[in-house]
Amino acid sequence: MPGSASTASSDPRCEADSRIHNPVADTITPSPTLLTTAARDFVLLATAVAGLLFGIPTDAQQLERRANDANHASSTFVYSDASGLNLTFALNAATSTGDLCFHMSAPAAYSWVGVGTGKQMRDSLMFIAYTDSSGHGITLSPRIATGNSEPTYTASKNVTVETSSGMADDQSTYVVDACCHNCTTWSRGSLDLMSKTAPFIFALGGGYATVSTSPAASIERHEVFGSFTMDMQQATSDGAGGVPQPNAPNGTYVTSGASLATGLKQDNNYGPPLHALVMCLAFVLVFPFGALLLRVLESVKWHAGVQIIGFIIAFVGVASGIYIATMYNKSKSYSSAHQVLGLLLTVALLVQLSFGIVHHRLYKKHQKPTIMGRIHKYLGPSIILLGIVNGGLGFSFANRSNRNVPYIIVVVLVALTFAAIVFFKKRRGNRRVKAPQNGGGEFAYGGPQTYGGAAPQPYDAVYGREGGAIPLSHMSSQASMPPPPPYGARAGTPLYTHENGSGISREVTPRPMV
């Protein structure tokens, strides 16, 4: 009934019950303005929290980045060496193209300059610059390192060098303005553009300057190296990007968005000089000296001892050479004349040592020459000569051709000294061979003996001052001597008897043949 319905609807309790039992009908709808404001505040709050937690740029940062795109957003690292000269690296990364554009400058006193991504050399993408063949321009080489050795040029990365690059007017500074296209990723890694502490490494080359237009030219070992980090969010732009411009009012570059240099180390390249010193010592001094001892002292023991020392020194040099070969691209393939000849000489040294030992044992046992002894006799001097030649090839291979002049001078002086010693030794020996004709028995078979009754007399007493008749009676006893024993006769066995001047016979025993 209508009255009942009206009464029920006007009862406050009924209204309360209807709210309880019909919640949907009782829902309060907020105004559209209030909903929009709350949603926006929530989104802003969520964005700010996400930016703090995950490094996501906020709207303010995005606006600042877009404002800086006109001047190419960048982070800049500056390192001052001990001389107060600066290495500068300013980087811009473009998200739309993946290009890395940078300004890099460094003192030309170093043979090259390089900056790479990552915490270590392995898998790092590096940008290495050195002087071109003209001496006024710059060669920029993108390289990837596989370890702590010379990085290898990669042709898969295309770099564009701007005309502003080159040597400074006073030839004191490398200046490189360039872009590496699509270089935020490479075969062995990538660059995190959202990182505020992206790791980088740098190095300055030592030794002789690298002068070449080839991007694959060999470079010397670094003299100084270290690491730093960069804020890639600051360095990244949404637009095309470009080479960063000076960020200081006076038109220079100052550190911005980058850490100071850490892990600085002064490096030394001791390997090649040690290899050269050891090998020259072995082939120019020790081996020739061992051969000289055999001819001057006629001592097999001294000869063998010195030559074994030479073998040890030479193999230390070979080991150092093999290690050095792993450090440089041009030596990893073992295709150079110096390396090929060096390996052949190493094998020849092993053969020479083996033949010498075996020949000596067989000779002591059978008292007969051996074919190995003949090979040993001629192989030794050949090894020494080729080893000396290989030393000159080594200096050229190491880009030290100017060292060949003093090297040749030392070789000639050593050769002349040893030749003079051998010459005077032979001359002295020839004089001793002639001595028995004047009455001496020093070179008679079996050692010093006196044949005949009278002792040898002085030259004046025998020949006379006026050059009279020459009596030969003191040599008459030699005519009655039988011939010497055959070669290889057993030592200690009497072969014949000899009657001396007093009429007493005694056994004559030959000396052992060694």
Side-chain angles (χ1 to χ4, degrees):
M1 293 182 297
S4 299
S6 175
T7 303
S9 61
S10 62
D11 189 348
R13 290 175 298 179
C14 293
E15 293 179 3
D17 292 341
S18 65
R19 289 184 181 181
I20 294 173
H21 297 288
N22 299 287
V24 176
D26 194 49
T27 301
I28 300 175
T29 303
S31 66
T33 303
L34 180 61
L35 178 60
T36 303
T37 303
R40 184 183 63 185
D41 292 341
F42 175 78
V43 171
L44 291 175
L45 178 61
T47 302
V49 173
L52 292 175
L53 294 178
F54 306 106
I56 299 176
T58 63
D59 288 345
Q61 291 173 325
Q62 293 281 9
L63 291 174
E64 182 181 0
R65 178 182 298 175
R66 291 189 179 94
N68 290 334
D69 278 348
N71 194 31
H72 306 313
S74 65
S75 292
T76 304
F77 165 75
V78 178
Y79 160 72
S80 296
D81 66 4
S83 303
L85 302 176
N86 291 341
L87 160 66
T88 301
F89 182 72
L91 178 65
N92 165 258
T95 56
S96 60
T97 60
D99 292 352
L100 295 178
C101 297
F102 56 90
H103 165 85
M104 182 168 61
S105 61
Y110 298 99
S111 60
W112 53 268
V113 56
V115 174
T117 61
K119 297 180 180 180
Q120 58 184 0
M121 290 185 65
R122 181 179 296 276
D123 301 333
S124 173
L125 174 62
M126 300 181 179
F127 302 108
I128 295 177
Y130 41 85
T131 310
D132 67 8
S133 299
S134 69
H136 301 286
I138 291 294
T139 299
L140 179 62
S141 174
R143 303 191 179 201
I144 296 177
T146 57
N148 293 326
S149 60
E150 182 184 2
T152 304
Y153 166 67
T154 173
S156 63
K157 295 303 177 184
N158 180 31
V159 293
T160 301
V161 180
E162 296 191 359
T163 56
S164 56
S165 302
M167 299 293 292
D169 293 337
D170 57 359
Q171 301 293 303
S172 64
T173 307
Y174 300 114
V175 178
V176 182
D177 293 326
C179 288
C180 182
H181 304 292
N182 193 24
C183 287
T184 55
T185 60
W186 56 96
S187 60
R188 290 178 173 267
S190 61
L191 180 61
D192 184 5
L193 301 184
M194 301 308 298
S195 174
K196 296 181 71 67
T197 56
F200 286 82
I201 55 177
F202 72 94
L204 298 167
Y208 287 83
T210 302
V211 180
S212 176
T213 55
S214 171
S218 179
I219 60 176
E220 299 274 345
R221 187 182 177 95
H222 42 51
E223 181 177 323
V224 180
F225 64 93
S227 59
F228 62 96
T229 61
M230 273 192 155
D231 183 352
M232 291 309 301
Q233 292 187 21
Q234 177 177 320
T236 302
S237 59
D238 292 334
V243 175
Q245 301 301 309
N247 58 353
N250 59 355
T252 60
Y253 293 86
V254 295
T255 299
S256 174
S259 69
L260 298 177
T262 58
L264 285 171
K265 290 186 179 180
Q266 296 283 336
D267 196 18
N268 294 291
N269 193 14
Y270 293 125
L274 176 63
H275 173 72
L277 176 63
V278 168
M279 298 306 276
C280 289
L281 178 65
F283 284 93
V284 178
L285 290 178
V286 179
F287 286 145
F289 182 66
L292 184 68
L293 289 178
L294 186 62
R295 288 159 177 77
V296 175
L297 299 182
E298 299 179 358
S299 171
V300 176
K301 291 183 179 180
W302 278 103
H303 167 74
V306 172
Q307 298 301 63
I308 289 175
I309 293 175
F311 281 118
I312 295 174
I313 295 175
F315 277 97
V316 170
V318 171
S320 65
I322 293 175
Y323 170 74
I324 295 169
T326 64
M327 306 299 294
Y328 299 93
N329 293 329
K330 67 178 182 180
S331 57
K332 291 178 181 178
S333 61
Y334 289 90
S335 58
S336 68
H338 174 70
Q339 292 174 293
V340 172
L341 183 55
L343 293 176
L344 292 176
L345 287 173
T346 301
V347 176
L349 283 173
L350 292 173
V351 173
Q352 177 75 349
L353 176 63
S354 302
F355 279 18
I357 294 174
V358 174
H359 160 72
H360 181 67
R361 290 184 175 181
L362 292 177
Y363 183 82
K364 288 181 65 178
K365 182 177 181 180
H366 302 289
Q367 294 292 305
K368 292 181 180 180
T370 66
I371 184 64
M372 286 178 288
R374 294 179 182 177
I375 296 175
H376 183 82
K377 177 180 179 180
Y378 295 104
L379 181 60
S382 301
I383 291 175
I384 294 175
L385 179 60
L386 291 176
I388 292 174
V389 171
N390 203 35
L393 295 177
F395 285 122
S396 299
F397 183 61
N399 298 325
R400 301 293 190 275
S401 298
N402 58 334
R403 305 288 175 84
N404 278 326
V405 174
Y407 174 69
I408 293 174
I409 293 175
V410 171
V411 169
V412 171
L413 290 177
V414 171
L416 291 177
T417 302
F418 286 5
I421 294 174
V422 172
F423 172 77
F424 286 111
K425 167 65 178 177
K426 288 185 176 180
R427 185 176 180 183
R428 183 181 179 185
N430 291 335
R431 289 179 178 178
R432 288 187 175 182
V433 170
K434 296 179 181 179
Q437 298 179 4
N438 296 331
E442 180 178 357
F443 286 90
Y445 194 87
Q449 300 179 30
T450 301
Y451 300 101
Q457 301 180 24
Y459 178 88
D460 293 339
V462 176
Y463 297 100
R465 293 184 179 274
E466 301 299 326
I470 303 177
L472 300 176
S473 59
H474 65 285
M475 299 181 64
S476 60
S477 61
Q478 297 185 17
S480 61
M481 291 180 61
Y487 180 83
R490 185 175 180 181
T493 303
L495 298 180
Y496 54 85
T497 59
H498 171 65
E499 182 177 331
N500 58 21
S502 61
I504 300 176
S505 299
R506 66 183 181 87
E507 295 179 343
V508 178
T509 303
R511 292 184 299 175
M513 301 294 291
V514 179

